[in-house]
Amino acid sequence: MSTETLPAPAGSMPAAKKSIANSAFARMAKYTAVRVLTMAVTVTIGVYLTILIANMGGYVDTIMRNEIRDGTTQAILANPNFRNLTPEAKQELIQKKIAAEEARLGLDQPFAIRSMRYLVNGLTLNLGRALHMTSDHGSKEVRLILLERLPATLLMTGTSSLILFFGSIVIALSLSRNYGNWIDKVVIALSPTSSVPPWFYGIFFILIFAAILKVLPFGGLVDSPPPTNSFDYGLSVLKHLILPVVSVIISSVFLSIYNWRTFFLIFSSEDYVEVAKAKGLPPRDVERRYILRPTLPTIITNFALLVITLWTGFTITETVFVWPGLGITLFRAIGAYDTPVIVGSTIIYAYLLAITVFLLDIFYALVDPRVKIGSGSS
Amino acid sequence: MNAFKNTIRGLFQYPSAVLGITVVLVLLGIAAYALITIPYSEAVRLWRGGEDVWYQNPRYAAPAWFNKFSKVKKPVSFRVNTADGSMTKTVTPASDDIASEEIAYSFDYTYDTPPQEMNLYFTTKFDTKLPFASIIWHTPDGREIKIANMAVDRKTTYRFSQDPRLQKSLKTDQVMSALFMDPNSETPKIVKGTYQLEIIGATFESGSDIDVEFVFHGDLYGLAGTDKYRRDLFLPLLYGTPIALAFGLVAALGTALLTMVIAAIGTWYGGWVDELIQRITEVNLVLPFLGILIMVGTFYSRSIWLMLGITIALGIFGGAIKTYRAIFLQSKEASYIEAARAYGASSSRIIFKYLIPRMVPLLIPTLVSSVPGYVFLEASLAVLGLGDPILPTWGKVINDAFADGALYQGRYYWVLEPAVLLMFTGLGFAMLGFALDRIYNPRLRDM
């Protein structure tokens, strides 16, 4: 990106160019490393806080104990060496083993030490075993239950975020070009609609397109039974994706466009833009180089905050659309009172948020020249 | 005061702001009305009430005004009672002990479908000898159907559809259809006209008496309809208003004010205080807000006030802190702050008397615009099944409707009523906040 937008005079001073590129790379690497480190610390604190909240009522302890009990009982029942024991003797053996295991895992230690162990477990996604829920493959590992659901969530969040981001920028730019026309006025008038969350539009869309018009499915990921060939399968997923994605987009698009268009307008009245226009540069160039470029970092920051809010909203959007992602798993876990899954989901969400923030940070660094030039690193 | 007047005058230049103010004022009015007419404890009692509180209502009844827009007219529910005089009762004494009581109720039936159910609730007074009652049904085409003859105990409920003897004599288990439809017609057709329910009672002791409540369960009920548990949806729709407003306003106000104070303190003292606040904000950014609310709701308590507290606590260190900080950093250098320092004002005096008041105009639009988010948050929690278990809220209604598959079964009113109210609230505050933003940020005014 740097070579395209900040062209150095071709042929002249190749050595200097190389060193600039090198140092830009080094700065990027350093910036990334610093961000990774900060994020790691942030996530650690976040997960620790999650564990603290969850364990105020002793719930993480319960998760651990259940896991120990399940594991030991199964191990002893399955062990052929103990087959000849009477049930009472077996029970006694199980109890003894459980006590030993609890001592080994430090459940008899004070909370401050125990919580550190939980922290390590949480950070390594060692989330324990679910009480009632199982993954599609029948595993009770919370990690597997949740990771299995991740692709569906990423599909929905990714699609809607990307459309939202690029769609808003393109529309906002074109509106800032001819502001005051009727489309512009409509967008301004509609921007308060962004106070309504996606799941809410979802209800209305389901009502209109699924219940009344019967053109789109009520919810779910694919038709049931799922189509066998992969093209039909993809088409079916796409059909199911329309309503949730449209709900997410509708719920934030007008405000985003309005905010960004205003931002572009403010920047397009800057002196250097006027100069560029006076020089007779084509409007596209003016827009790309003199308006979009300096505003992009701020826009990305705004977008990051938007995506973070969206993450929260997806839980309910997925529930409303019966979209088999993380959100609905969390919803079902609440219904089934499956504490390990609830704590696990919260930790996974913390990770997802951190990754989102991190990616946007990196993207920010790519478009913000100050990071590369080095005047204002991190 | 002058600034306030200017703001109001400015607001009237925006039609959307006028609309927003109207919505907000209407909502405040409804909230006040709800709190005055229904005390908190009464609302909770009604909402938690079962069959004993709501037996008079049909299940799944759409609002009565549906008939205005529908071609097929559906029966509207009603109830009448001899105790309050809405059903006539004439007592004719025959001797010292014996008396006959004639109870009758006539009503026009002009609907196109039979009702859900009809019930009679007898309340009688006697010492040893049970009163006796015969129930007769007169149709508009002159038929007279004997419904039942029975001795009535102190509390007796007679359900038309569930009487096997009546089913036998009508030769169908569709009692309601048999009572309201023309038996001679080829196609099933409702006989429209005046029906009469007649109950002839006999009492055998002096002081003995019969009272009857006739409950007619149609397909439509009241202004808002009913849900699965026969509850009148008007109650949660009405009482949900003050709860939604309280949650939204308190959360918005609490978060905005505390954020501002913390941002001011951070920028004023700078150094490690500022650094700490910045770091907390960063950690807070990756804390899954809803996840934590869900954990608290599942593990500890679903009380709406606890949720409110946590919402505020987690909201304080939100993204807004950075915006405020940037502005405070500028105003910290302003000359009036320098002047305050020069006369020896303490830090707290500068923060609370000079830094923060200057920011209030900026705070107002943000505050108003953030109300819908919190109103919807409460609804979202309820939809996830983490709503306050005892309070009637809009979100709770949506949750009940979803749990019962209302959208799949075509009971749209059940979802749409609270949804529309939520939407109105959200849009009202958003439009107002939007206009306020334009007034307080002159840069936006002509864009």
Side-chain angles (χ1 to χ4, degrees), chain A residues 26 81 88 97 108 119 160 194 202 207 220 292 324:
Chain A
N81 295 338
E88 290 78 28
K97 282 259 181 190
D108 48 354
L119 177 64
S160 36
S194 296
L207 191 70
L292 198 51

Side-chain angles (χ1 to χ4, degrees), chain A residues 60-68 105 107 117-118 121:
Chain A
V60 181
D61 292 343
T62 321
I63 296 173
M64 293 281 286
R65 289 216 165 86
N66 284 334
E67 195 175 353
I68 293 169
L105 288 177
L107 277 172
R117 199 184 291 272
Y118 296 153
N121 280 348

Side-chain angles (χ1 to χ4, degrees), chain B residues 74-78 107 109 111-118 137 161 174-177 179-180 190 216-219:
Chain B
K74 291 189 163 184
V76 177
S77 312
F78 63 83
F107 58 98
Y109 199 83
Y111 310 114
D112 299 316
T113 52
Q116 279 186 15
E117 170 66 304
M118 296 193 294
W137 183 249
S161 300
Q174 299 294 318
V175 173
M176 286 304 128
S177 301
L179 290 182
F180 283 90
I190 296 283
F216 177 91
H217 286 172
D219 288 326

Side-chain angles (χ1 to χ4, degrees), chain A residues 69-289:
Chain A
R69 203 189 52 223
D70 278 15
T72 347
T73 316
Q74 296 221 332
I76 288 178
L77 290 182
N79 191 335
N81 295 338
F82 299 127
R83 198 168 287 163
N84 299 330
L85 291 175
T86 60
E88 290 78 28
K90 255 186 211 168
Q91 272 306 319
E92 200 181 321
L93 190 64
I94 289 172
Q95 292 306 331
K96 236 194 242 164
K97 282 259 181 190
I98 288 177
E101 190 75 354
E102 284 184 356
R104 185 178 75 82
L105 288 177
L107 277 172
D108 48 354
Q109 283 164 348
F111 180 70
I113 299 170
R114 256 185 301 145
S115 67
M116 286 300 149
R117 199 184 291 272
Y118 296 153
L119 177 64
V120 174
N121 280 348
L123 285 175
T124 51
L125 291 190
N126 191 353
L127 302 173
R129 293 167 71 79
L131 298 181
H132 315 287
M133 299 173 78
T134 52
S135 73
D136 286 349
H137 300 293
S139 167
K140 272 185 151 329
E141 288 273 330
V142 173
R143 180 171 41 127
L144 294 180
I145 294 177
L146 294 178
L147 289 185
E148 190 180 73
R149 295 279 166 234
L150 197 55
T153 295
L154 288 182
L155 177 65
M156 194 171 100
T157 47
T159 318
S160 36
S161 307
L162 285 180
I163 297 180
L164 192 59
F165 182 68
F166 289 107
S168 308
I169 286 196
V170 170
I171 298 174
L173 263 181
S174 94
L175 283 187
S176 76
R177 218 174 294 140
N178 29 31
Y179 79 94
N181 68 4
W182 66 271
I183 306 178
D184 192 36
K185 288 197 176 111
V186 168
V187 168
I188 297 180
L190 284 179
S191 52
T193 57
S194 296
S195 64
V196 179
W199 61 268
F200 206 75
Y201 286 105
I203 294 179
F204 287 97
F205 287 149
I206 290 176
L207 191 70
I208 296 169
F209 293 101
I212 296 175
L213 296 178
K214 298 188 172 47
V215 286
L216 288 168
F218 274 95
L221 178 70
V222 285
D223 287 330
S224 155
T228 39
N229 80 45
S230 51
F231 179 73
D232 286 347
Y233 191 92
L235 219 58
S236 171
V237 171
L238 215 58
K239 206 171 76 189
H240 285 76
L241 194 61
I242 295 175
L243 282 189
V245 166
V246 168
S247 315
V248 173
I249 292 175
I250 288 283
S251 79
S252 6
V253 75
F254 292 114
L255 190 62
S256 303
I257 294 178
Y258 170 76
N259 280 342
W260 296 355
R261 150 211 109 94
T262 311
F263 208 65
F264 290 144
L265 277 180
I266 292 171
F267 266 77
S268 58
S269 57
E270 295 280 345
D271 291 342
Y272 58 83
V273 180
E274 299 291 341
V275 170
K277 278 186 197 157
K279 275 200 296 191
L281 285 179
R284 297 243 157 230
D285 276 6
V286 175
E287 235 163 53
R288 225 185 49 218
R289 282 205 211 150

